[in-house]
Amino acid sequence: MQNILITGGAGYIGSHTVVALHEAGFRPVIIDNLSNSDARVLDGIAHITGTRPSFYRGDCRDIDLLRKIFTQEDIAGVIHFAAYKAVGESVQEPLKYYDNNINALLRVLIASQEHSAGQEHVFPFIFSSSATVYGEADTMPLTEETPRKPATNPYGNTKAIAEDILHDVVHAQRRANASLYATPLHAIALRYFNPIGAHPSAAIGENPHGRPENLVPYLVQAASGRREPLTIYGNDYPTPDGTGVRDYIHVVDLAEAHVAAMQYAFAQTDAPRFDIFNIGTGRGTSVKELIATFEEVTGVNVPHTIGARRPGDVAVCYADTTKAADILGWRARCSIADALRDAWVWEQRQHTTS
Ligand code: NAD
Ligand code: UDP
Protein backbone atom coordinates (compact mmCIF):
# COMPACT_ATOMS: atom_id res chain seq x y z
CA MET A 1 0.00 0.00 0.00
CA GLN A 2 1.45 3.37 -1.00
CA ASN A 3 1.43 6.25 1.49
CA ILE A 4 0.34 9.50 -0.14
CA LEU A 5 0.82 12.86 1.57
CA ILE A 6 -2.26 15.03 1.18
CA THR A 7 -1.42 18.62 2.06
CA GLY A 8 -4.59 20.53 2.93
CA GLY A 9 -6.33 17.17 3.33
CA ALA A 10 -8.74 18.52 5.93
CA GLY A 11 -10.11 21.01 3.41
CA TYR A 12 -13.01 20.74 0.99
CA ILE A 13 -11.44 19.00 -2.02
CA GLY A 14 -8.66 17.38 0.05
CA SER A 15 -11.06 15.54 2.36
CA HIS A 16 -13.03 14.08 -0.56
CA THR A 17 -9.76 13.03 -2.18
CA VAL A 18 -8.63 11.34 1.04
CA VAL A 19 -11.80 9.23 0.85
CA ALA A 20 -11.32 8.42 -2.85
CA LEU A 21 -7.65 7.47 -2.36
CA HIS A 22 -8.52 5.23 0.56
CA GLU A 23 -11.20 3.51 -1.54
CA ALA A 24 -8.65 3.00 -4.33
CA GLY A 25 -6.22 1.22 -1.99
CA PHE A 26 -3.80 4.05 -1.15
CA ARG A 27 -3.01 5.13 2.42
CA PRO A 28 -3.55 8.89 2.74
CA VAL A 29 -1.53 10.91 5.26
CA ILE A 30 -2.79 14.43 5.94
CA ILE A 31 -0.92 17.60 6.84
CA ASP A 32 -3.14 20.61 7.47
CA ASN A 33 -2.81 23.67 9.70
CA LEU A 34 -6.62 23.96 9.91
CA SER A 35 -6.43 27.61 8.81
CA ASN A 36 -9.56 27.02 6.69
CA SER A 37 -10.89 23.73 8.02
CA ASP A 38 -11.84 21.86 11.15
CA ALA A 39 -10.44 18.69 12.73
CA ARG A 40 -14.01 17.30 12.82
CA VAL A 41 -13.58 16.48 9.13
CA LEU A 42 -11.46 13.53 10.30
CA ASP A 43 -14.57 12.10 11.99
CA GLY A 44 -16.46 12.48 8.72
CA ILE A 45 -13.72 10.68 6.79
CA ALA A 46 -13.64 7.89 9.39
CA HIS A 47 -17.42 7.62 9.18
CA ILE A 48 -17.25 7.04 5.41
CA THR A 49 -14.13 4.88 5.16
CA GLY A 50 -14.11 3.14 8.54
CA THR A 51 -10.51 4.34 8.98
CA ARG A 52 -9.20 7.46 10.68
CA PRO A 53 -6.44 8.85 8.45
CA SER A 54 -3.02 9.68 9.80
CA PHE A 55 -3.15 13.43 10.54
CA TYR A 56 -0.44 16.00 11.29
CA ARG A 57 -1.60 19.43 12.37
CA GLY A 58 1.03 21.78 11.03
CA ASP A 59 2.10 24.19 8.33
CA CYS A 60 3.51 23.12 4.98
CA ARG A 61 6.07 25.90 5.25
CA ASP A 62 7.62 24.01 8.19
CA ILE A 63 10.32 21.99 6.40
CA ASP A 64 11.39 20.16 9.57
CA LEU A 65 7.88 18.88 10.11
CA LEU A 66 7.68 17.85 6.45
CA ARG A 67 10.97 15.95 6.69
CA LYS A 68 9.71 14.15 9.77
CA ILE A 69 6.45 13.16 8.06
CA PHE A 70 8.15 12.00 4.85
CA THR A 71 10.48 9.74 6.82
CA GLN A 72 8.04 8.53 9.45
CA GLU A 73 5.30 7.74 6.92
CA ASP A 74 7.57 6.73 4.02
CA ILE A 75 5.73 8.95 1.58
CA ALA A 76 5.53 7.63 -2.01
CA GLY A 77 3.70 10.55 -3.61
CA VAL A 78 2.10 13.93 -2.86
CA ILE A 79 -1.12 15.74 -3.64
CA HIS A 80 -0.61 19.39 -2.79
CA PHE A 81 -3.89 21.15 -1.99
CA ALA A 82 -2.74 23.44 0.82
CA ALA A 83 -3.25 27.07 -0.19
CA TYR A 84 -5.36 30.11 0.50
CA LYS A 85 -8.08 30.49 -2.12
CA ALA A 86 -10.16 33.65 -1.60
CA VAL A 87 -9.72 35.83 -4.69
CA GLY A 88 -10.97 39.05 -3.04
CA GLU A 89 -8.78 38.60 0.02
CA SER A 90 -5.77 37.97 -2.21
CA VAL A 91 -6.25 41.42 -3.75
CA GLN A 92 -6.35 42.97 -0.25
CA GLU A 93 -3.47 40.93 1.18
CA PRO A 94 -1.21 39.79 -1.68
CA LEU A 95 1.79 39.02 0.56
CA LYS A 96 -0.28 36.64 2.66
CA TYR A 97 -1.16 34.75 -0.55
CA TYR A 98 2.29 34.72 -2.12
CA ASP A 99 3.85 33.69 1.19
CA ASN A 100 1.50 30.80 1.84
CA ASN A 101 0.78 29.51 -1.65
CA ILE A 102 4.30 29.78 -3.04
CA ASN A 103 6.38 28.99 0.04
CA ALA A 104 4.23 25.98 0.93
CA LEU A 105 4.70 24.60 -2.59
CA LEU A 106 8.46 25.18 -2.48
CA ARG A 107 8.88 23.48 0.91
CA VAL A 108 6.76 20.47 -0.08
CA LEU A 109 8.70 20.13 -3.35
CA ILE A 110 12.07 20.36 -1.56
CA ALA A 111 11.02 17.75 1.00
CA SER A 112 9.68 15.51 -1.81
CA GLN A 113 12.92 15.73 -3.73
CA GLU A 114 15.07 15.06 -0.65
CA HIS A 115 12.97 12.11 0.42
CA SER A 116 12.46 10.49 -2.96
CA ALA A 117 16.17 10.50 -3.83
CA GLY A 118 16.57 7.04 -2.30
CA GLN A 119 13.40 5.44 -3.61
CA GLU A 120 13.02 3.11 -6.57
CA HIS A 121 9.92 4.41 -8.33
CA VAL A 122 8.72 7.61 -9.92
CA PHE A 123 7.54 10.20 -7.39
CA PRO A 124 4.10 11.59 -8.32
CA PHE A 125 3.43 15.21 -7.34
CA ILE A 126 -0.10 16.36 -8.09
CA PHE A 127 -0.86 20.06 -7.81
CA SER A 128 -4.21 21.87 -7.49
CA SER A 129 -4.25 24.42 -10.27
CA SER A 130 -7.27 26.27 -11.56
CA ALA A 131 -9.09 27.28 -14.72
CA THR A 132 -8.42 30.82 -13.55
CA VAL A 133 -5.02 30.58 -15.32
CA TYR A 134 -6.84 30.87 -18.68
CA GLY A 135 -8.30 34.30 -17.83
CA GLU A 136 -10.61 35.82 -20.45
CA ALA A 137 -9.90 33.33 -23.24
CA ASP A 138 -10.65 34.02 -26.89
CA THR A 139 -12.24 30.63 -27.62
CA MET A 140 -14.33 28.02 -25.81
CA PRO A 141 -14.11 25.28 -24.70
CA LEU A 142 -10.73 25.65 -23.04
CA THR A 143 -8.15 23.04 -23.94
CA GLU A 144 -4.82 22.58 -22.18
CA GLU A 145 -3.28 24.25 -25.26
CA THR A 146 -5.36 27.42 -24.82
CA PRO A 147 -2.79 30.10 -23.95
CA ARG A 148 -2.72 31.27 -20.34
CA LYS A 149 -3.50 34.94 -19.81
CA PRO A 150 -1.86 37.14 -17.18
CA ALA A 151 -3.65 36.67 -13.87
CA THR A 152 -6.08 39.37 -12.79
CA ASN A 153 -5.49 38.80 -9.06
CA PRO A 154 -2.71 37.51 -6.75
CA TYR A 155 -4.51 34.22 -6.05
CA GLY A 156 -4.66 33.39 -9.75
CA ASN A 157 -1.06 34.47 -10.13
CA THR A 158 0.05 32.01 -7.43
CA LYS A 159 -1.45 29.21 -9.56
CA ALA A 160 0.37 30.36 -12.72
CA ILE A 161 3.65 30.78 -10.81
CA ALA A 162 3.23 27.34 -9.22
CA GLU A 163 2.76 25.72 -12.64
CA ASP A 164 5.92 27.48 -13.84
CA ILE A 165 7.85 26.25 -10.79
CA LEU A 166 6.78 22.66 -11.46
CA HIS A 167 7.74 23.02 -15.12
CA ASP A 168 11.19 24.36 -14.21
CA VAL A 169 11.89 21.68 -11.59
CA VAL A 170 10.93 18.88 -13.97
CA HIS A 171 12.93 20.34 -16.83
CA ALA A 172 15.99 20.77 -14.62
CA GLN A 173 15.70 17.08 -13.78
CA ARG A 174 15.39 16.21 -17.47
CA ARG A 175 18.51 18.18 -18.34
CA ALA A 176 20.54 16.81 -15.45
CA ASN A 177 22.27 13.48 -15.41
CA ALA A 178 19.45 11.07 -14.55
CA SER A 179 21.55 9.44 -11.86
CA LEU A 180 21.44 12.67 -9.86
CA TYR A 181 17.78 11.98 -9.35
CA ALA A 182 17.37 8.36 -8.43
CA THR A 183 13.64 9.06 -8.27
CA PRO A 184 12.36 11.35 -10.97
CA LEU A 185 9.39 13.58 -10.38
CA HIS A 186 6.16 13.16 -12.28
CA ALA A 187 4.42 16.48 -11.71
CA ILE A 188 0.79 16.88 -12.72
CA ALA A 189 -1.17 20.13 -12.55
CA LEU A 190 -4.91 19.57 -12.49
CA ARG A 191 -6.73 22.70 -13.59
CA TYR A 192 -10.02 22.51 -11.72
CA PHE A 193 -13.10 24.17 -13.10
CA ASN A 194 -15.84 24.86 -10.51
CA PRO A 195 -16.06 22.21 -7.78
CA ILE A 196 -19.43 22.00 -6.04
CA GLY A 197 -21.44 19.55 -3.94
CA ALA A 198 -20.58 17.31 -1.03
CA HIS A 199 -20.10 13.64 -0.30
CA PRO A 200 -23.47 11.86 -0.77
CA SER A 201 -23.22 10.60 2.84
CA ALA A 202 -23.26 14.25 3.99
CA ALA A 203 -20.41 13.33 6.34
CA ILE A 204 -18.01 15.78 4.62
CA GLY A 205 -18.60 18.88 2.50
CA GLU A 206 -17.64 22.48 2.02
CA ASN A 207 -17.53 24.60 5.14
CA PRO A 208 -16.21 28.02 4.24
CA HIS A 209 -15.21 30.29 7.11
CA GLY A 210 -17.27 33.50 7.01
CA ARG A 211 -19.32 34.75 4.07
CA PRO A 212 -18.89 32.43 1.07
CA GLU A 213 -17.50 34.06 -2.08
CA ASN A 214 -18.44 31.18 -4.39
CA LEU A 215 -21.87 30.73 -5.91
CA VAL A 216 -23.05 27.36 -4.58
CA PRO A 217 -22.00 27.71 -0.92
CA TYR A 218 -23.64 31.14 -0.88
CA LEU A 219 -26.75 29.89 -2.69
CA VAL A 220 -27.40 27.06 -0.21
CA GLN A 221 -26.96 29.39 2.75
CA ALA A 222 -29.31 31.95 1.17
CA ALA A 223 -31.85 29.17 0.48
CA SER A 224 -31.74 28.08 4.11
CA GLY A 225 -32.16 31.65 5.33
CA ARG A 226 -28.70 31.88 6.90
CA ARG A 227 -27.73 34.67 4.49
CA GLU A 228 -29.26 37.62 2.69
CA PRO A 229 -30.71 36.82 -0.77
CA LEU A 230 -28.18 35.77 -3.38
CA THR A 231 -27.02 38.54 -5.69
CA ILE A 232 -26.59 37.42 -9.30
CA TYR A 233 -23.48 39.26 -10.44
CA GLY A 234 -24.66 40.64 -13.75
CA ASN A 235 -27.37 39.63 -16.23
CA ASP A 236 -25.95 41.46 -19.23
CA TYR A 237 -23.22 39.04 -20.25
CA PRO A 238 -23.15 37.79 -23.87
CA THR A 239 -24.66 34.43 -22.80
CA PRO A 240 -28.11 32.95 -23.63
CA ASP A 241 -29.75 34.31 -20.44
CA GLY A 242 -27.24 37.07 -19.67
CA THR A 243 -25.73 35.43 -16.58
CA GLY A 244 -22.24 33.98 -16.23
CA VAL A 245 -21.56 30.46 -17.48
CA ARG A 246 -19.25 28.02 -15.64
CA ASP A 247 -18.34 24.33 -15.71
CA TYR A 248 -19.55 22.99 -12.35
CA ILE A 249 -18.10 19.63 -11.32
CA HIS A 250 -19.18 17.40 -8.45
CA VAL A 251 -16.39 17.31 -5.85
CA VAL A 252 -16.60 13.50 -5.74
CA ASP A 253 -15.81 13.37 -9.47
CA LEU A 254 -12.98 15.83 -8.91
CA ALA A 255 -11.60 13.65 -6.11
CA GLU A 256 -11.65 10.66 -8.48
CA ALA A 257 -9.56 12.62 -10.98
CA HIS A 258 -6.76 12.75 -8.39
CA VAL A 259 -6.87 8.99 -8.00
CA ALA A 260 -6.71 8.58 -11.79
CA ALA A 261 -3.78 11.01 -11.98
CA MET A 262 -1.95 9.22 -9.17
CA GLN A 263 -2.41 5.82 -10.84
CA TYR A 264 -1.31 7.26 -14.17
CA ALA A 265 1.85 8.79 -12.67
CA PHE A 266 2.84 5.57 -10.94
CA ALA A 267 2.37 3.68 -14.23
CA GLN A 268 4.67 5.94 -16.32
CA THR A 269 8.25 5.05 -16.99
CA ASP A 270 9.39 8.22 -18.75
CA ALA A 271 9.57 10.62 -15.79
CA PRO A 272 10.75 13.27 -15.08
CA ARG A 273 7.76 14.82 -16.75
CA PHE A 274 5.11 17.49 -16.25
CA ASP A 275 1.52 17.06 -17.40
CA ILE A 276 -1.44 19.41 -17.28
CA PHE A 277 -5.08 18.31 -17.36
CA ASN A 278 -8.37 20.19 -17.36
CA ILE A 279 -10.72 18.72 -14.78
CA GLY A 280 -14.29 19.72 -15.53
CA THR A 281 -17.40 18.24 -17.11
CA GLY A 282 -17.20 19.93 -20.51
CA ARG A 283 -20.63 21.51 -19.99
CA GLY A 284 -21.40 25.14 -19.24
CA THR A 285 -24.24 26.18 -16.92
CA SER A 286 -25.46 29.72 -16.29
CA VAL A 287 -26.18 31.16 -12.84
CA LYS A 288 -29.91 31.26 -13.65
CA GLU A 289 -29.88 27.65 -14.87
CA LEU A 290 -28.11 26.58 -11.72
CA ILE A 291 -30.68 28.32 -9.50
CA ALA A 292 -33.52 26.70 -11.48
CA THR A 293 -31.96 23.24 -11.16
CA PHE A 294 -31.47 23.71 -7.42
CA GLU A 295 -35.12 24.75 -6.99
CA GLU A 296 -36.27 21.79 -9.08
CA VAL A 297 -34.31 19.11 -7.22
CA THR A 298 -34.84 20.45 -3.70
CA GLY A 299 -38.25 22.13 -3.99
CA VAL A 300 -36.68 25.06 -2.12
CA ASN A 301 -36.83 28.63 -3.37
CA VAL A 302 -33.59 30.62 -3.77
CA PRO A 303 -34.24 34.27 -2.85
CA HIS A 304 -32.16 36.35 -5.25
CA THR A 305 -31.69 39.76 -6.79
CA ILE A 306 -29.78 41.00 -9.82
CA GLY A 307 -26.68 43.06 -9.11
CA ALA A 308 -23.72 44.51 -10.93
CA ARG A 309 -21.02 42.38 -12.54
CA ARG A 310 -18.27 41.32 -10.13
CA PRO A 311 -14.94 42.82 -11.21
CA GLY A 312 -12.60 40.25 -12.76
CA ASP A 313 -15.36 37.75 -13.67
CA VAL A 314 -15.30 36.27 -17.15
CA ALA A 315 -18.55 35.69 -19.07
CA VAL A 316 -18.04 32.04 -19.96
CA CYS A 317 -15.62 29.33 -18.82
CA TYR A 318 -15.89 25.63 -19.56
CA ALA A 319 -13.49 22.82 -20.26
CA ASP A 320 -12.60 20.55 -23.09
CA THR A 321 -11.95 17.38 -21.07
CA THR A 322 -10.77 15.16 -23.91
CA LYS A 323 -7.19 14.96 -22.66
CA ALA A 324 -8.16 13.71 -19.17
CA ALA A 325 -10.53 11.17 -20.73
CA ASP A 326 -7.96 9.91 -23.27
CA ILE A 327 -4.88 9.82 -21.04
CA LEU A 328 -6.18 9.40 -17.48
CA GLY A 329 -9.26 7.39 -18.47
CA TRP A 330 -11.24 9.73 -16.23
CA ARG A 331 -14.46 11.60 -16.87
CA ALA A 332 -17.04 13.26 -14.64
CA ARG A 333 -20.06 11.06 -13.93
CA CYS A 334 -22.35 13.10 -11.66
CA SER A 335 -24.89 15.66 -12.85
CA ILE A 336 -25.31 19.20 -11.58
CA ALA A 337 -28.61 18.04 -10.06
CA ASP A 338 -26.69 15.39 -8.06
CA ALA A 339 -24.19 17.97 -6.87
CA LEU A 340 -26.83 20.52 -5.85
CA ARG A 341 -28.88 17.89 -4.02
CA ASP A 342 -25.78 16.77 -2.12
CA ALA A 343 -24.81 20.37 -1.35
CA TRP A 344 -28.29 20.98 0.05
CA VAL A 345 -28.32 17.86 2.25
CA TRP A 346 -24.89 18.89 3.55
CA GLU A 347 -26.11 22.43 4.27
CA GLN A 348 -29.10 21.12 6.19
CA ARG A 349 -26.83 18.87 8.21
CA GLN A 350 -24.71 21.91 9.18
CA HIS A 351 -27.87 23.61 10.34
CA THR A 352 -28.95 20.80 12.60
CA THR A 353 -25.51 19.93 13.99
CA SER A 354 -23.87 23.37 14.42
P1 NAD B 1 -9.84 24.59 1.37
O1 NAD B 1 -9.51 25.92 1.95
O2 NAD B 1 -11.09 23.93 1.81
O3 NAD B 1 -8.64 23.56 1.62
C1 NAD B 1 -7.29 23.99 1.73
C2 NAD B 1 -6.76 23.38 3.02
O4 NAD B 1 -5.38 23.74 3.14
C3 NAD B 1 -7.46 23.91 4.27
O5 NAD B 1 -7.85 22.82 5.09
C4 NAD B 1 -6.41 24.76 4.98
O6 NAD B 1 -6.54 24.72 6.39
C5 NAD B 1 -5.13 24.13 4.49
N1 NAD B 1 -3.95 25.00 4.42
C6 NAD B 1 -3.83 26.22 3.83
N2 NAD B 1 -2.57 26.67 3.93
C7 NAD B 1 -1.88 25.70 4.59
C8 NAD B 1 -0.52 25.57 4.99
N3 NAD B 1 0.40 26.52 4.76
N4 NAD B 1 -0.14 24.44 5.66
C9 NAD B 1 -1.05 23.46 5.92
N5 NAD B 1 -2.34 23.54 5.57
C10 NAD B 1 -2.75 24.65 4.90
O7 NAD B 1 -9.80 24.74 -0.22
P2 NAD B 1 -10.28 23.73 -1.36
O8 NAD B 1 -11.48 24.30 -2.02
O9 NAD B 1 -10.30 22.36 -0.85
O10 NAD B 1 -9.07 23.92 -2.37
C11 NAD B 1 -7.96 23.04 -2.40
C12 NAD B 1 -6.99 23.51 -3.45
O11 NAD B 1 -7.65 23.57 -4.71
C13 NAD B 1 -6.40 24.90 -3.22
O12 NAD B 1 -5.06 24.89 -3.65
C14 NAD B 1 -7.24 25.76 -4.11
O13 NAD B 1 -6.56 26.94 -4.49
C15 NAD B 1 -7.47 24.84 -5.29
N6 NAD B 1 -8.65 25.17 -6.08
C16 NAD B 1 -9.86 25.27 -5.48
C17 NAD B 1 -10.98 25.59 -6.24
C18 NAD B 1 -12.33 25.74 -5.59
O14 NAD B 1 -13.22 26.33 -6.20
N7 NAD B 1 -12.56 25.21 -4.39
C19 NAD B 1 -10.85 25.83 -7.62
C20 NAD B 1 -9.59 25.71 -8.21
C21 NAD B 1 -8.49 25.38 -7.44
N1 UDP C 1 -21.87 34.44 -8.75
C1 UDP C 1 -23.01 35.16 -8.48
N2 UDP C 1 -23.29 35.47 -7.17
C2 UDP C 1 -22.49 35.09 -6.13
C3 UDP C 1 -21.32 34.34 -6.44
C4 UDP C 1 -21.04 34.05 -7.76
O1 UDP C 1 -23.76 35.51 -9.39
O2 UDP C 1 -22.78 35.42 -4.98
C5 UDP C 1 -21.58 34.08 -10.16
C6 UDP C 1 -20.24 34.57 -10.68
O3 UDP C 1 -20.38 35.85 -11.24
C7 UDP C 1 -19.88 33.50 -11.71
C8 UDP C 1 -20.50 32.22 -11.14
O4 UDP C 1 -21.48 32.66 -10.21
O5 UDP C 1 -20.54 33.76 -12.95
C9 UDP C 1 -19.49 31.35 -10.40
O6 UDP C 1 -18.81 32.13 -9.43
P1 UDP C 1 -17.82 31.47 -8.39
O7 UDP C 1 -17.29 32.57 -7.52
O8 UDP C 1 -18.50 30.33 -7.70
O9 UDP C 1 -16.66 30.85 -9.27
P2 UDP C 1 -15.61 31.55 -10.28
O10 UDP C 1 -15.99 32.97 -10.45
O11 UDP C 1 -14.31 31.36 -9.60
O12 UDP C 1 -15.72 30.77 -11.55
Side-chain angles (χ1 to χ4, degrees):
M1 191 181 273
Q2 281 144 323
N3 300 330
I4 308 297
L5 183 65
I6 315 293
T7 76
Y12 173 45
I13 306 169
S15 57
H16 289 82
T17 303
V18 167
V19 169
L21 281 170
H22 174 89
E23 287 169 352
F26 293 100
R27 182 174 165 271
V29 174
I30 299 174
I31 176 173
D32 199 302
N33 62 7
L34 303 182
S35 57
N36 196 38
S37 49
D38 191 301
R40 280 178 299 183
V41 76
L42 301 171
D43 300 332
I45 293 170
H47 174 84
I48 299 167
T49 63
T51 305
R52 212 175 163 78
S54 182
F55 172 66
Y56 294 82
R57 180 171 185 173
D59 199 295
C60 291
R61 289 164 291 186
D62 180 348
I63 188 91
D64 293 331
L65 174 62
L66 289 174
R67 286 180 176 133
K68 183 181 125 189
I69 299 171
F70 272 85
T71 307
Q72 210 157 285
E73 303 281 357
D74 195 16
I75 297 300
V78 168
I79 306 182
H80 183 54
F81 291 104
Y84 294 145
K85 62 167 182 176
V87 172
E89 188 185 50
S90 80
V91 176
Q92 306 294 326
E93 298 183 71
L95 280 178
K96 175 176 169 179
Y97 275 69
Y98 286 116
D99 176 26
N100 195 39
N101 295 9
I102 302 302
N103 283 324
L105 171 69
L106 293 175
R107 295 293 167 271
V108 178
L109 267 175
I110 290 167
S112 299
Q113 198 147 291
E114 284 176 1
H115 177 71
S116 64
Q119 295 182 359
E120 284 173 18
H121 303 291
V122 62
F123 192 89
F125 192 101
I126 299 175
F127 173 71
S128 301
S129 190
S130 167
T132 193
V133 299
Y134 293 114
E136 182 95 63
D138 302 324
T139 53
M140 286 292 150
L142 297 158
T143 77
E144 291 80 356
E145 305 305 318
T146 303
R148 285 185 347 198
K149 291 272 174 74
T152 55
N153 57 72
Y155 166 74
N157 205 22
T158 67
K159 294 300 178 193
I161 292 170
E163 288 189 354
D164 292 345
I165 290 170
L166 291 172
H167 172 276
D168 290 350
V169 170
V170 165
H171 282 264
Q173 283 198 356
R174 288 175 78 93
R175 279 193 301 272
N177 181 334
S179 65
L180 266 180
Y181 297 97
T183 308
L185 198 69
H186 188 156
I188 299 181
L190 300 181
R191 290 178 176 162
Y192 310 157
F193 282 67
N194 291 58
I196 60 167
H199 195 270
S201 65
I204 53 174
E206 187 167 15
N207 216 343
H209 289 179
R211 186 188 186 284
E213 276 193 13
N214 294 116
L215 177 61
V216 171
Y218 193 92
L219 181 155
V220 294
Q221 293 189 12
S224 71
R226 288 169 70 191
R227 298 275 170 198
E228 295 296 303
L230 169 76
T231 302
I232 297 180
Y233 295 143
N235 66 349
D236 57 352
Y237 282 106
T239 61
D241 65 20
T243 65
V245 168
R246 295 289 183 278
D247 185 338
Y248 297 96
I249 174 170
H250 197 303
V251 68
V252 169
D253 279 332
L254 178 56
E256 292 292 342
H258 294 80
V259 174
M262 188 56 76
Q263 290 166 336
Y264 167 70
F266 275 124
Q268 298 312 300
T269 52
D270 61 344
R273 57 181 287 155
F274 178 43
D275 289 310
I276 295 176
F277 295 99
N278 283 343
I279 305 295
T281 66
R283 287 183 300 277
T285 303
S286 75
V287 178
K288 279 189 176 168
E289 284 171 333
L290 191 123
I291 293 172
T293 306
F294 178 87
E295 291 181 337
E296 197 180 308
V297 296
T298 63
V300 177
N301 179 50
V302 181
H304 61 272
T305 56
I306 305 291
R309 292 184 181 190
R310 181 171 63 179
D313 273 1
V314 299
V316 180
C317 175
Y318 62 96
D320 180 323
T321 57
T322 312
K323 187 177 175 191
D326 288 353
I327 296 178
L328 301 180
W330 169 91
R331 53 168 52 85
R333 287 180 296 188
C334 303
S335 66
I336 290 209
D338 296 330
L340 293 173
R341 194 181 301 109
D342 292 338
W344 180 237
V345 174
W346 166 250
E347 162 64 17
Q348 288 173 296
R349 192 186 146 102
Q350 302 310 294
H351 241 341
T352 51
T353 54
S354 62

